Amino acid sequence: MAVDSKFQYMDIDVKIKKFTWRIQNFSSLVDKKLYSEVFTFDSYKWRVLIFPKGNNVDHLSIYLDVADSATLPYGWSKYAQVGFGVIDQLDRETSSTKVTHHCFNARQADWGFTSFLRLTELHDPKRGYLLNDACLVEVYVCTDKTLDFISHEFIVKTDWDELKAKEADCVKAVIDNQKTPTTKPVEITPPSPTQSSSQTVAIEPEESAEEDMNTFFTSLESELSSSRIVYSKEEAKEALAKINEALNTTPVNLNDSGKFSPLKQAFMILASFDGSSTTLTIDQKNELLGLDERLKELANRAAKAVQDKDQLTAKESIKRTMTCNLESSLIRYKEVETEVKQVDQILAALREEVEEAQKRKEKMLAERKGIYRSCKEMKLELDALGKELAECEATAKVGEEEEKSVEAEWGRIKDFISSIEAKI
């Protein structure tokens, strides 16, 4: 997948950043979510997060994320007004856009729309959202809390180069006005792109300028009258039908649809239409011409209100979940506390057994030591007895010979006495 990113800046009284992200081969994406490259604005690092197949919904999901939120100081927060746009590359004015406000922080480091654009509409070949299978995403970021000007009209019609040129012209005009007296004609010599010499332009006195203005506007009124577009009754009815269709939807749905451009044309047709039976007053025409912006304002307010309600619902859901988790944790805490006491009792009993076993061990060790000493003494006695036994064997052998000699002598004496007794 090839991803091209383009950065642009604009400074007209405020800081605003536009981030353009072209995603090629969009239909072939397999990742559930996709991050853009990181860009820096107002000292914070940002990135865009999209879910090409929806974040568990049948819509394209899109968010702005603080890329380095995990490394920012404790308690950080940053306000931003964010405008998202998925551009219709066949008709930019029918692009899908949404605007939101959020205070980014550690707990809510990304913010946007889960249901941004229906996937069926995104992939509709009649629309230009995926021209040549490339999706063009634009994100506008403003961190000035005092301003609230990012809108559908701003996103689809803002010409950045023209705005920069106008800013430069405004600065030049201010400088020129500061240098130009109003009491007498002044000559201004601007540089010519085709000549090296100067061209002199004279500023006329106030009376002459007043006559020129009157002549100009008289001529302008005549030209506008002759070139005014005349709309038919069928066109007026069609415009009225479009307006009624829009009014029959909710402001939030109208804001989500991004169909303000056709409404603007419809209001212009009605304001310009002069019927044979009814002619609108100037006030009514002016009110019709202003209803486009009024409806946009109401739709944005309704979308903001729904977003605030959704945020409240989300917060309440988080609160309920956290409360439930706390209750479960408290129950588990008490269970663990009981188990710890039971384990302490087991350990106490085991300690007693260990102490008793230690005593038995010491007793057996002492007995073993006594046996060792006794055996060692008996071994010494046995070794000594072995030596004595050798001597005794020699003595016993001599004694045996002596015993035989004694018995022989004893028998001789006995025989001698018997022979004497026979003679007596």
Side-chain angles (χ1 to χ4, degrees), residues 306-332:
V306 170
Q307 183 178 345
D308 291 342
K309 288 170 63 179
D310 290 343
Q311 186 175 3
L312 175 61
T313 302
K315 295 288 186 183
E316 290 176 344
S317 176
I318 293 172
K319 180 181 178 182
R320 286 194 298 270
T321 302
M322 293 182 67
T323 302
C324 182
N325 291 339
L326 283 174
E327 292 174 350
S328 300
S329 298
L330 178 59
I331 294 173
R332 181 56 186 157

Side-chain angles (χ1 to χ4, degrees), residues 73-112:
Y74 176 79
W76 70 271
S77 65
K78 186 63 178 177
Y79 166 85
Q81 181 190 17
V82 188
F84 297 96
V86 175
I87 305 303
D88 186 334
Q89 298 166 69
L90 297 177
D91 184 0
R92 185 177 177 88
E93 291 194 5
T94 62
S95 300
S96 180
T97 66
K98 288 188 180 182
V99 181
T100 183
H101 304 254
H102 183 58
C103 189
F104 293 82
N105 54 61
R107 294 188 61 185
Q108 293 181 330
D110 58 69
W111 194 258

Side-chain angles (χ1 to χ4, degrees), residues 234-246 266 269-270:
E234 286 72 19
E235 289 177 315
K237 287 183 178 181
E238 184 180 349
L240 188 60
K242 289 182 180 180
I243 295 172
N244 283 328
E245 180 185 359
I269 292 174
L270 284 184

Side-chain angles (χ1 to χ4, degrees), residues 39 46 87 120 122 251 382 391 397:
F39 60 95
W46 310 84
I87 305 303
T120 53
L122 174 65
L382 182 61
E391 295 176 356
K397 189 173 181 180

Side-chain angles (χ1 to χ4, degrees), residues 206-223:
E206 289 186 5
E207 292 181 1
S208 177
E210 185 72 23
E211 293 177 0
D212 288 345
M213 280 192 294
N214 291 334
T215 302
F216 170 77
F217 283 111
T218 300
S219 175
L220 178 62
E221 183 178 8
S222 176
E223 290 180 12

